Amino acid sequence: MSPHLVATAAELRSLAREAERAVVMTMGALHEGHAALVRAARELVGPEGQVVVTVFVNPLQFGAGEDLDRYPRTLDADVQLAGKEGADVVFAPSVAEVYPGGEPQVRISAGPMGAVLEGAFRPGHFDGVLTVVAKLLHLTAPDVAFFGQKDAQQLSLVRRMVRDLNFPVEVVAVPTVREPDGLALSSRNRYLSDSERAGALALSRALRAGEQAVPQGPAAVLRAARQVLEPAAVRPGGQGLDVDYVALVDPGSFAEITDDVWRGDAVLAVAARAGTTRLIDNVPLHFGTPHPAQHPGEAR
Ligand code: PAF
């Protein structure tokens, strides 16, 4: 069935139900990764619940020279896909509806976790993301909000904001959806030429290599990932990947893991440019019992 397509907060309020409400926030150009989020939302709230998909290209999270103007806008197809996957409502507000006072003077600060990795390459990006996520949480008033693991730093920051600022919402993470050859789905993949796309596969290969090295510990994970990325790096005058970072971080703080006997959860994250397209990818890891050769006090 076709979902209700609404553009204003007032219309959205008029569709509120007593039942549980889930929200999936997107910037549109929906693909199978978003479909997985909508399906997970529908499954969690059940047939009586309400699934709201927001479609809003948030100017606040794009830096100067980034792809705000060319970001794909495909609302008709988005509404169709959202409806097919079980959304009841698509909320696609205008910039004026979301920011009625113009550029907001008061914003959410992402703090230190928002200044590293993606934040270091895209200053202000996460302040813009969290500001719009906070606003969309107020406007949609969901019980549960779904975010993709693909944007791991965003996910951690949203969790942190919800906890630090007492938003009454549960945050659920949904695993990254990949093409059969490993490329993580992203609305930006459509910018890639065939050869850029082929080169971009080194990102997921590097993550897989890192994953396989988990039993050898954090340093080995980073080494394995870098070994895959090095030959894929851009050569002068040629094509390839311009790698911004490969990092192993604590998902709670996004601080880099420097301790080679680290135990617990971690995220191996990569970012690179293929031509003019910036791609990010990551894999969640878990370090269990350390490798015997890595117990403190034992010989290496
Ligand atoms: O992940 C995205 O698509 C965006 O950052 C979000 C969460 C919809 C905020 O604009």
Side-chain angles (χ1 to χ4, degrees):
M1 227 180 52
S2 238
H4 294 278
L5 173 61
V6 298
T8 66
E11 288 171 289
L12 187 61
R13 265 195 305 277
S14 75
L15 293 172
R17 287 198 210 143
E18 283 300 301
E20 202 173 12
R21 185 184 254 191
V23 69
V24 175
M25 295 179 192
T26 81
M27 296 205 301
L30 302 189
H31 50 64
E32 188 48 38
H34 298 109
L37 290 164
V38 179
R39 283 196 297 272
R42 170 52 65 203
E43 199 175 309
L44 190 108
V45 299
E48 301 306 320
Q50 190 182 53
V51 176
V52 178
V53 173
T54 69
V55 174
F56 180 63
V57 182
N58 173 35
L60 233 55
Q61 69 190 74
F62 289 78
E66 290 190 355
D67 57 347
L68 173 62
D69 292 337
R70 73 162 176 160
Y71 200 85
R73 286 152 170 95
T74 58
L75 185 59
D76 291 345
D78 295 344
V79 173
Q80 263 196 16
L81 183 142
K84 180 167 148 271
E85 302 301 344
D88 300 295
V89 181
V90 172
F91 176 49
S94 63
V95 172
E97 179 72 17
V98 176
Y99 300 116
E103 279 234 345
Q105 300 292 301
V106 177
R107 302 178 186 208
I108 303 281
S109 162
M113 205 201 305
V116 296
L117 299 194
E118 278 305 282
F121 283 89
R122 305 182 68 188
H125 169 67
F126 287 120
D127 293 357
V129 169
L130 292 186
T131 301
V132 83
V133 169
K135 290 188 66 108
L136 291 171
L137 286 174
H138 289 315
L139 290 168
T140 59
D143 301 288
V144 53
F146 288 76
F147 290 89
Q149 172 65 36
K150 161 79 171 35
D151 294 298
Q153 194 170 359
Q154 167 175 287
L155 170 65
S156 290
L157 280 161
V158 170
R159 285 192 192 287
R160 188 72 206 211
M161 177 182 77
V162 162
R163 200 174 81 199
D164 286 353
L165 302 183
N166 298 87
F167 279 82
V169 66
E170 181 193 348
V171 174
V172 174
V174 175
T176 303
V177 178
R178 297 180 181 280
E179 303 275 12
D181 59 10
L183 187 71
L185 294 195
S186 161
S187 304
R188 291 185 167 103
N189 288 353
R190 66 187 71 197
Y191 301 151
L192 298 170
S193 68
D194 288 349
S195 63
E196 287 166 353
R197 192 191 175 290
L201 292 178
L203 294 175
S204 52
R205 278 206 316 274
L207 295 176
R208 245 188 345 263
E211 197 169 23
Q212 281 159 7
V214 164
Q216 282 80 54
V221 166
L222 278 169
R223 225 172 14 249
R226 288 188 176 129
Q227 266 165 15
V228 173
L229 286 172
E230 255 155 43
V234 77
R235 302 277 171 258
Q239 287 192 329
L241 278 182
D242 212 343
V243 177
D244 283 340
Y245 59 79
V246 186
L248 187 65
V249 296
D250 173 350
S253 64
F254 262 69
E256 297 214 26
I257 293 172
T258 51
D259 175 357
D260 205 27
V261 289
W262 174 269
R263 280 193 241 186
D265 292 335
V267 170
L268 177 62
V270 291
R273 274 157 292 135
T276 54
T277 306
R278 194 153 182 289
L279 299 169
I280 58 171
D281 200 355
N282 73 87
V283 66
L285 303 176
H286 182 81
F287 292 92
T289 314
H291 189 266
Q294 292 173 350
H295 280 295
E298 279 189 11
R300 297 210 154 202

